[in-house]
């Protein structure tokens, strides 16, 4: 069931909300769980068994971790200091074993289904080139809906329980409710148990403000997806899928439109899911914070798909930095390359691993490795040259406060992001090379590819509207609150204009070929 | 309690205002001419004089490319119109039939059953039904893209729905691309009719009965989209409702004589003009034998049908030789 389908927007969501609102408070968590399971079953059919099993493993391991902590707390009072120490050590070992085992099962299934076909394909390609009769069958799996999102949220939950930053759920249905909650099961965000479990398991009273603000956000998300993203998709699809026919300006416009498409689509989807959850008083994590106002590539990734970055920072980068091998690496670097490099090199190495993870999270293929390394390269370059710049040009610190320099930094970051987008959308590494080369070849055909001039005007106006809203958010203007405070005729006129704009200018119906949600495939 | 009541009232009032705006804008965005109301020329029926159509054919592209009502007028004198367009569904047909009944009172309604199982590849039957029904109830969803047709010149131009189609909804195709897939009517299973579709089929049956039309179910030959399992599904439906059903994929009279090597423009999906004339003749024969259809030739009230018949003859004078030439070329190549 797509978030933009009639069935979701006009049947599923209103009916679930009505049921949730009219039933007694105690029954509301059950309504949300039943709705989530129904949504998953409608979207993925028998793969619901996977999510039921994943929730089971997560719940059991969480329970074991919690029980060990409880035992430790109870026994602590009765034991002597050496006994306490020994027990703590034993408990630590059991917890490590439990969390390691749980994570291994969850990540094992995830890695097997998502990456084994790619690994097998790569190994088979090597075997083909070797003498001898060795060969490897390449499997092909259908990925369960939300495989990456559910797995990483489950692992995050286990690590949080292990660290003691959250209490484990006592009941299976509670973990299942968290993991399969329909607004975040398809494209995220990666929510944390502590942030969501409260209102999910003990729902607040239905509130008019939550409902209206939630619906407003859904409408805004639909506008982004249907008016901008689905329209831009037609141009993008033509240029990227048939890239040998295009060059120069056509590739530039195609990449620009893909950037617009991906932003409008992914952030639009987040608006729909966050708006859906807000109707039920459940605040999901924000995934975007005006990414195109970023002044560096690193900042861009702290504003774009924020919950993925936060997850990897929390559960991969930081543990890596603090791990024994990394400490050994630090010592080695300090002794061989000096104190400064001794500090930087292990961090850069951990950063490299994180970027590879970001790249490969987006897809199993060499292209995605290139995608991750592309951003790693630019971030590393920035890290290396930062001290050089500030040392050689001391005035640069003052210059950075000037508006035009900040604008330059934003445009520079945008240009680098465009490069990343081209890699991300291209059909393979060869296509990337060909498309980059083709930039030098002037394009003599019409730039109106699959879209007419009026479509391009709609895209331009849509992009301007996106920019304006982002600018207001960047300045801290609470748009929905301001609008809610406006006189009723003005408020309604704005809402009705918004709905009409989607229905009139939306790229749906016989003349368009709307794309599915891009991030739903991850 | 007051707060809740106020909130509910506000929401309901907003929805009503929004609905009014959607209907108004939808009406405004409808095509300026009935020529563009549908794909092909189905909308031309609105340009016909009231109560002048004896046989109304409803269906999708198979119907629009497969049944040529002007042949009936020329041969038997009764009038017909094929109201069909690509990807038409049972839901579309139900609502259009309601509209058509406000202007026409056909003696016979021929419903082409390809639409019963028709849906786009990526859609579910339910999704397709929801899309179709919502498009019918809110014209804005169907005609939203017409904003592109608005110019300074036609911004305030009233709608003119008087255009008449001399082909009476038929879309002649002259290309030939043979179907070579062999027999396709062998599956002995029965494909169930989707629930919502069946409900709307029943509504069509009732609508016809309420307006005194006799309903005939037929299936236009379509080698790539029809099969015996679907035939059985429709036959069971027809038997349960006491309706007559003719599946021309089975060539029931044995005289229809469709040749899949020459009579299709797209390897068996549709009929070209050669196939369409055979099917039209077979159906025409059945209609005249079974129903008491009037002969309007020479009737001054039907003068424009004479004009259209002349245009039709010109069209066929060009189309048939072209199709025959294409058929010869295809057979030569084969």
């Amino acid at each position: 069931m797509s978030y933009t389908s009639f069935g979701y927007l006009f049947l599923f969501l209103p009916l679930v909300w009505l049921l949730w609102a009219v039933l007694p408070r105690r029954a509301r968590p059950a309504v949300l769980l039943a709705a989530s399971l129904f949504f998953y079953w409608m979207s993925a059919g028998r793969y619901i068994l996977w999510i039921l099993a994943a929730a089971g493993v997560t719940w059991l391991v969480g329970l074991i971790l919690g029980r060990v902590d409880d035992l430790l707390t109870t026994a602590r009072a009765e034991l002597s200091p050496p006994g306490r120490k020994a027990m703590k050590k034993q408990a630590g070992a059991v917890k490590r074993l439990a969390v390691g085992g749980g994570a291994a099962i969850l990540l094992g299934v995830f890695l097997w289904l998502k990456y084994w076909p790619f690994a097998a394909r790569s190994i088979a390609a090597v075997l083909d080139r070797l003498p001898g009769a060795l060969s490897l069958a390449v499997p092909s799996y259908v990925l369960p809906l939300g495989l990456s999102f559910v797995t990483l949220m489950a692992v995050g939950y286990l690590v949080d329980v292990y660290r003691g930053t959250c209490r484990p759920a006592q009941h299976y249905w509670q973990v299942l409710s968290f993991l399969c909650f329909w607004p975040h099961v398809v494209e995220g965000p990666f929510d944390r148990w502590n942030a969501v479990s409260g209102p999910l398991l003990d729902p607040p009273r239905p509130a008019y403000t939550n409902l209206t603000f939630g619906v407003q956000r859904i409408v805004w998300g639909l506008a982004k997806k249907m008016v901008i993203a689905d329209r831009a998709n037609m141009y993008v699809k033509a240029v990227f899928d048939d890239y040998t026919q295009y060059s120069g300006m056509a590739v530039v416009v195609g990449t620009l439109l893909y950037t617009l498409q991906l932003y409008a689509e992914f952030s639009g989807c987040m608006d729909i899911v966050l708006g859906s959850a807000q109707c039920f008083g459940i605040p999901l994590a924000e995934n975007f914070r005006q990414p195109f106002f970023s002044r560096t590539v690193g900042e861009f990734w702290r504003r774009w798909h924020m919950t993925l970055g936060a997850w990897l920072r929390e559960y991969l980068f930081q543990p890596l930095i603090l791990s024994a091998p990394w400490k050994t690496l630090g010592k080695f670097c300090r002794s061989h390359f000096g104190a400064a490099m001794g500090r930087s090199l292990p961090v850069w190495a951990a950063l490299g691993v994180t970027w590879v993870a970001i790249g490969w999270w987006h897809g199993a293929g060499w292209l995605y490795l290139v995608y991750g390394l592309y951003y790693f390269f630019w971030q590393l370059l920035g890290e290396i040259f930062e001290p050089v710049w500030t040392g050689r040009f001391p005035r640069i610190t003052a210059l950075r406060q000037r508006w035009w320099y900040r604008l330059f930094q934003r445009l520079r970051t945008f240009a680098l992001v465009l490069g990343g987008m081209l890699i991300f959308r291209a059909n393979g590494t060869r296509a990337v090379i060909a498309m980059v080369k083709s930039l030098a070849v002037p394009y003599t055909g019409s730039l109106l590819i699959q879209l007419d001039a009026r479509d391009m005007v709609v895209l331009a106006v849509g992009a301007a509207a996106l920019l304006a809203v982002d600018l207001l958010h960047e300045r801290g203007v609470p748009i929905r609150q301001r609008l809610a405070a406006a006189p009723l005729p003005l408020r309604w006129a704005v809402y009705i204009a918004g709905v009409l704009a989607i229905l009139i200018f939306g790229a749906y119906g016989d003349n368009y070929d709307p794309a599915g949600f891009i991030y739903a495939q991850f | 309690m007051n707060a809740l009541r106020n909130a509910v009232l506000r929401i309901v009032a907003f929805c009503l205002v929004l609905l009014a705006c959607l209907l108004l804008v939808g009406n405004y965005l409808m095509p300026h001419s009935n020529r563009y109301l549908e794909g092909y020329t189905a909308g031309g029926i609105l340009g016909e004089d009231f109560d002048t159509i004896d046989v109304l054919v409803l269906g999708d592209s198979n119907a629009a490319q497969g049944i040529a009502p002007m042949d009936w007028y020329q041969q038997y004198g009764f009038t017909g119109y094929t109201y069909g367009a690509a990807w038409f569904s049972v839901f579309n047909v139900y609502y259009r039939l309601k509209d058509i009944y406000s202007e026409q009172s056909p003696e016979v309604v021929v419903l082409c059953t390809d639409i019963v199982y028709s849906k786009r590849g990526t859609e579910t039957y339910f999704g397709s039904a929801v899309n179709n029904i919502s498009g019918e109830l809110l014209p804005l969803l169907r005609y939203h893209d017409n904003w592109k047709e608005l110019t300074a010149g036609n911004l305030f131009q009233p709608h003119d729905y008087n255009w008449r189609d001399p082909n009476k909804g038929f879309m002649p195709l002259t290309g030939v691309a043979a179907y070579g897939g062999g027999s396709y009517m062998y599956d002995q299973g029965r494909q169930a009719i989707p629930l919502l579709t069946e409900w709307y089929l029943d509504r069509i049956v009732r609508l016809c009965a309420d307006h005194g039309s006799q309903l005939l179910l037929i299936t236009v030959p379509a080698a790539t989209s029809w099969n015996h399992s679907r035939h059985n599904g429709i036959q069971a439906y027809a038997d349960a409702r006491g309706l007559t059903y003719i599946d021309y994929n089975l060539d029931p009279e044995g005289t229809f004589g469709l040749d899949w090597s020459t009579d299709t423009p797209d390897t068996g999906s549709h009929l070209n003009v050669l196939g369409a004339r055979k099917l039209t003749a077979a159906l025409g024969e059945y209609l005249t034998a079974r129903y008491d259809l009037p002969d309007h030739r020479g009737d001054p009230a039907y003068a424009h049908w004479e004009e259209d018949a002349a245009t039709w003859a010109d069209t066929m004078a060009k189309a048939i030789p072209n199709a025959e030439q294409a058929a010869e070329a295809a057979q030569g190549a084969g």
Side-chain angles (χ1 to χ4, degrees):
Chain A
M1 195 185 323
S2 165
Y3 292 131
T4 54
S5 66
F6 186 93
Y8 176 76
L9 295 167
F10 296 101
L11 295 174
F12 176 83
L13 203 54
L15 287 177
V16 173
W17 191 88
L18 275 177
L19 208 60
W20 175 85
V22 299
L23 284 176
R25 192 168 179 172
R26 272 181 312 170
R28 285 185 199 143
V31 172
L32 293 182
L33 175 59
S36 295
L37 290 173
F38 176 75
F39 179 90
Y40 197 92
W41 177 69
M42 285 292 287
S43 307
R46 63 198 162 113
Y47 289 96
I48 197 169
L49 294 174
W50 164 75
I51 206 167
L52 292 173
V57 170
T58 311
W59 169 67
L60 263 176
V61 175
L63 216 56
I64 292 169
L65 293 170
R67 190 59 57 87
V68 173
D69 275 341
D70 290 345
L71 280 173
L72 195 62
T73 312
T74 318
R76 195 172 276 173
E78 297 161 7
L79 292 172
S80 62
R84 278 207 292 267
K85 198 173 175 185
M87 183 151 186
K88 193 178 172 187
K89 200 176 168 188
Q90 276 181 340
V94 172
K95 282 177 67 178
R96 272 196 299 279
L97 189 68
V99 78
I105 293 170
L106 293 165
L107 287 172
V109 173
F110 166 65
L111 294 172
W112 179 264
L113 291 176
K114 187 163 175 174
Y115 298 101
W116 174 239
F118 162 61
R121 204 165 41 247
S122 304
I123 295 167
V126 173
L127 290 178
D128 280 351
R129 287 164 189 244
L130 293 177
L134 281 175
S135 67
L136 184 68
V138 179
S140 170
Y141 303 125
V142 177
L143 300 186
L145 180 75
L147 176 69
S148 307
F149 296 99
V150 172
T151 302
L152 297 196
M153 277 194 286
V155 171
Y157 164 80
L158 290 183
V159 175
D160 285 350
V161 175
Y162 169 78
R163 288 172 176 170
T165 52
C166 77
R167 290 292 302 151
Q170 290 307 304
H171 303 286
Y172 170 67
W173 69 267
Q174 294 173 326
V175 176
L176 185 61
S177 289
F178 167 63
L179 291 180
C180 76
F181 186 42
W182 83 85
H184 66 194
V185 78
V186 181
E187 285 202 42
F190 293 99
D191 282 304
R192 304 282 291 266
W193 169 258
N194 272 351
V196 175
S197 58
L200 188 65
L201 306 178
D202 183 18
R205 289 166 63 86
Y208 180 74
T209 314
N210 276 340
L211 180 65
T212 50
F213 278 24
V215 171
Q216 285 165 28
R217 190 149 187 191
I218 291 171
V219 170
W220 176 234
L222 285 171
K224 286 181 184 177
K225 163 80 175 140
M226 292 172 70
V227 178
I228 302 174
D230 286 348
R231 181 171 265 106
N233 176 56
M234 295 175 70
Y235 196 108
V236 171
K237 203 165 173 250
V239 170
F240 279 85
D241 290 355
D242 203 7
Y243 63 90
T244 53
Q245 303 299 311
Y246 301 101
S247 62
M249 211 50 200
V251 174
V252 172
V253 175
T255 309
L256 270 170
L257 287 183
Y258 180 62
T259 307
L260 180 65
Q261 180 197 354
L262 191 62
Y263 179 47
E265 198 224 78
F266 193 16
S267 70
C269 177
M270 286 304 110
D271 288 324
I272 296 170
V273 302
L274 267 75
S276 300
Q278 189 173 9
C279 292
F280 298 86
I282 298 169
L284 299 187
E286 292 288 346
N287 236 352
F288 289 91
R289 192 164 52 82
Q290 300 82 254
F292 294 107
F293 288 100
S294 306
R295 290 156 67 182
T296 63
V297 161
E299 187 189 356
F300 175 81
W301 276 93
R302 286 191 297 278
R303 288 165 171 258
W304 173 280
H305 206 173
M306 291 153 66
T307 57
L308 174 67
W311 194 96
L312 289 168
R313 202 164 41 249
E314 181 95 358
Y315 303 110
L316 179 66
F317 179 76
Q318 287 173 2
L320 266 184
I321 288 286
L322 298 174
S323 67
W326 246 258
K327 284 180 182 163
T328 313
L329 179 69
K331 276 182 199 161
F332 176 82
C333 292
R334 263 197 302 279
S335 61
H336 287 77
F337 308 113
M341 289 305 269
R343 271 196 308 274
S344 300
L345 277 177
V347 174
W348 292 345
L351 210 58
V353 173
T354 309
W355 277 114
V356 168
I358 289 179
W360 264 335
W361 179 84
H362 284 91
W366 297 113
L367 180 72
Y368 297 102
L369 178 67
V370 174
Y371 178 64
L373 292 177
Y374 171 82
Y375 281 110
F376 175 55
F377 171 76
W378 289 116
Q379 195 176 2
L380 194 61
L381 212 62
E383 300 262 346
I384 292 170
F385 281 98
E386 173 65 16
V388 179
W389 276 110
T390 45
R392 183 161 287 198
F393 306 106
R395 281 186 59 212
I396 208 159
T397 315
L399 274 181
R400 280 176 180 160
Q401 303 311 312
R402 301 276 178 87
W403 71 267
W404 56 266
Y405 195 85
R406 289 204 300 265
L407 181 65
F408 158 72
Q409 286 179 307
R410 283 172 180 146
L411 291 175
R412 181 189 60 191
T413 305
F414 183 65
L416 296 179
V417 168
L418 282 184
M421 292 292 178
L422 190 147
I423 296 171
F424 189 53
R425 178 60 179 84
N427 294 337
T429 42
R430 282 188 191 145
V432 173
I433 296 165
M435 290 181 84
V436 170
K437 275 186 186 168
S438 77
L439 288 172
V441 182
Y443 181 68
T444 51
S446 166
L447 282 175
L448 295 175
I449 300 165
Q450 294 291 320
L451 298 177
D452 57 29
R454 292 186 178 212
D455 284 314
M456 294 304 251
V457 171
V458 171
L459 282 176
V461 173
L466 269 183
L467 187 68
V469 169
D470 273 4
L471 196 63
L472 291 172
H473 279 146
E474 189 70 2
R475 292 184 174 170
V477 177
I479 301 172
R480 283 182 292 170
Q481 284 85 342
R482 286 269 177 93
L483 200 55
L488 186 130
L490 175 65
R491 213 162 65 221
W492 282 21
V494 171
Y495 301 153
I496 288 171
V499 174
L500 283 176
I502 296 171
L503 293 180
I504 294 172
F505 301 115
Y508 63 91
D510 291 343
N511 298 335
Y512 298 93
D513 179 20
F517 281 111
I518 295 168
Y519 269 72
Q521 60 192 296
F522 302 139
Chain B
M1 205 58 189
N2 273 350
L4 178 68
R5 195 188 59 197
N6 287 344
V8 171
L9 281 177
R10 265 207 304 270
I11 291 170
V12 171
F14 176 79
C15 289
L16 289 175
V17 175
L18 177 65
L19 184 66
C21 291
L22 296 182
L23 291 172
L24 274 174
V25 175
N27 188 268
Y28 177 74
L29 283 178
M30 284 179 76
H32 281 96
S33 163
N34 55 326
R35 167 69 184 82
Y36 305 105
L37 266 179
E38 305 292 353
Y40 306 144
T41 55
I45 196 167
L46 299 183
E48 298 293 335
D49 292 340
F50 282 15
D51 296 326
T52 53
I53 302 296
D54 300 317
V55 177
L56 175 66
V57 181
L58 299 167
D60 57 9
S61 54
N62 296 69
Q65 292 164 13
I67 297 170
M70 277 311 284
D71 274 358
W72 294 334
Y73 182 77
Q74 283 190 318
Q75 196 171 349
Y76 306 108
F78 68 86
T79 58
Y81 202 98
T82 301
Y83 196 94
W87 295 109
F88 249 29
S89 66
V90 168
F91 314 103
N92 298 129
V93 161
Y94 168 74
Y95 290 104
R96 307 305 163 79
L97 182 58
K98 266 175 83 171
D99 290 344
I100 291 169
Y101 271 132
S102 66
E103 296 192 357
Q104 301 292 342
S105 309
E107 172 83 23
V108 181
V109 170
V110 178
L111 182 67
C112 300
T113 61
D114 311 72
I115 57 173
V116 172
Y117 299 106
S118 157
K119 72 170 181 67
R120 288 167 209 257
T122 52
E123 285 180 323
T124 60
Y125 278 116
F126 179 73
S128 168
V130 166
N131 284 342
N132 281 307
I133 294 169
S134 53
E136 291 296 334
L137 298 178
L138 283 178
L140 176 59
L141 301 181
R142 245 163 70 207
Y143 299 117
H144 73 101
D145 222 24
N146 278 357
W147 66 270
K148 288 183 179 175
E149 310 301 325
L150 293 176
T151 60
N154 67 12
L155 216 51
F156 302 106
Q157 194 182 319
H159 294 165
D160 176 11
Y161 286 176
N162 290 309
W163 176 80
R164 256 187 19 248
D165 178 21
N167 293 350
K168 308 302 171 193
F170 173 63
M171 179 59 58
L173 297 181
T174 55
V176 174
Y179 166 72
S183 171
Y184 55 94
M185 296 297 284
Y186 52 81
D187 187 348
Q188 291 307 307
R190 189 171 90 189
Q191 186 168 343
I193 298 173
L195 204 65
L196 259 176
T197 309
E198 186 166 340
W199 184 43
Y200 267 79
L201 269 178
D202 286 343
R203 296 182 81 181
I204 292 173
V205 173
R206 277 200 300 275
L207 196 60
C208 290
D210 291 348
H211 287 84
S213 302
Q214 299 187 65
L215 181 62
L216 170 68
L217 305 183
I218 71 158
T219 307
V220 174
T224 53
S225 62
W226 199 252
N227 55 49
H228 207 268
S229 159
R230 291 184 170 189
H231 165 92
N232 289 342
I234 299 294
Q235 187 67 62
Y237 178 85
D239 292 345
R241 270 84 179 166
L243 299 169
T244 307
Y245 171 47
I246 308 170
D247 188 343
Y248 284 97
N249 289 280
L250 295 171
D251 195 0
E253 305 299 322
T255 54
F256 171 32
L258 190 78
D259 182 352
W260 279 118
S261 67
T262 58
D263 296 346
T264 173
D266 47 14
T267 64
S269 293
H270 301 90
L271 298 182
N272 61 18
V273 70
L274 301 176
R277 293 201 103 181
K278 291 176 184 171
L279 173 65
T280 305
L283 182 57
E285 240 173 74
Y286 180 84
L287 289 170
T288 45
R290 182 78 180 263
Y291 305 101
D292 186 21
L293 296 166
D295 183 351
H296 298 293
R297 287 173 293 187
D299 182 345
Y302 288 76
H304 73 71
W305 278 80
E306 295 297 336
E307 294 164 24
D308 291 342
T311 312
W312 168 252
D314 288 345
T315 305
M316 286 302 105
K318 287 174 195 156
I320 296 292
N322 283 344
E324 284 171 345
Q325 216 172 349
E328 277 172 32
Q331 282 183 325

